[in-house]
Amino acid sequence: MRPPSRTGRSRPPAPGADPVIGSQIFTNLCGFCHQDGGRVAGRGPKLAGTDRPDDYILNRIRTGKEGAMPAYGRAFSDVQLRSLIAYIRSLKDDGK
C-alpha cells in the first residue's frame, strides 16, 4: 500500500463521494470561472493536475477568496464537497 502523497491523490475518495455528482455541481456553479470543466484557466485557475491538498481546496470552497471567489460556506453537504474533490481529482492534466 502506498502512503498518501502530499496532494492526497493516492487516498481513496471519501465514503459517498461521487465524481459524477461533483461534475454536476461543478458544471452548475464552478464552470463559469474554472473553464472547460476545470481543465483550463479562466477567471479562476485551472484545477486539473492541481497539487493543492484536499483540505486546502475544501477550505477555499467554504471560505472563498476575497475579490476572486465567492464563499460557499455551508451551501454543500460533506458528501457534496467530497464529490467535488473526487471530480477535481478525476481531471486529467493535458497540459493546456
Side-chain angles (χ1 to χ4, degrees):
M1 179 177 208
R2 242 178 7 173
S5 69
R6 182 174 82 84
T7 64
R9 288 186 195 180
S10 64
R11 282 188 268 161
D18 183 342
V20 173
I21 292 171
S23 173
Q24 293 167 345
I25 295 167
F26 194 93
T27 298
N28 291 321
L29 295 174
C30 313
F32 180 75
C33 292
H34 301 279
Q35 296 186 348
D36 192 20
R39 292 172 188 87
V40 296
R43 290 179 176 210
K46 174 177 126 176
L47 298 173
T50 184
D51 63 352
R52 299 286 191 173
D54 292 357
D55 289 339
Y56 176 91
I57 297 169
L58 289 170
N59 186 56
R60 180 56 52 96
I61 293 168
R62 287 183 181 123
T63 63
K65 180 178 179 184
E66 189 173 338
M69 180 176 161
Y72 287 97
R74 298 174 193 235
F76 301 118
S77 70
D78 188 54
V79 170
Q80 288 172 315
L81 287 167
R82 295 292 170 184
S83 293
L84 276 167
I85 296 298
Y87 168 71
I88 291 167
R89 295 295 178 212
S90 76
L91 296 173
K92 302 298 180 219
D93 186 6
D94 60 5
K96 288 185 184 178

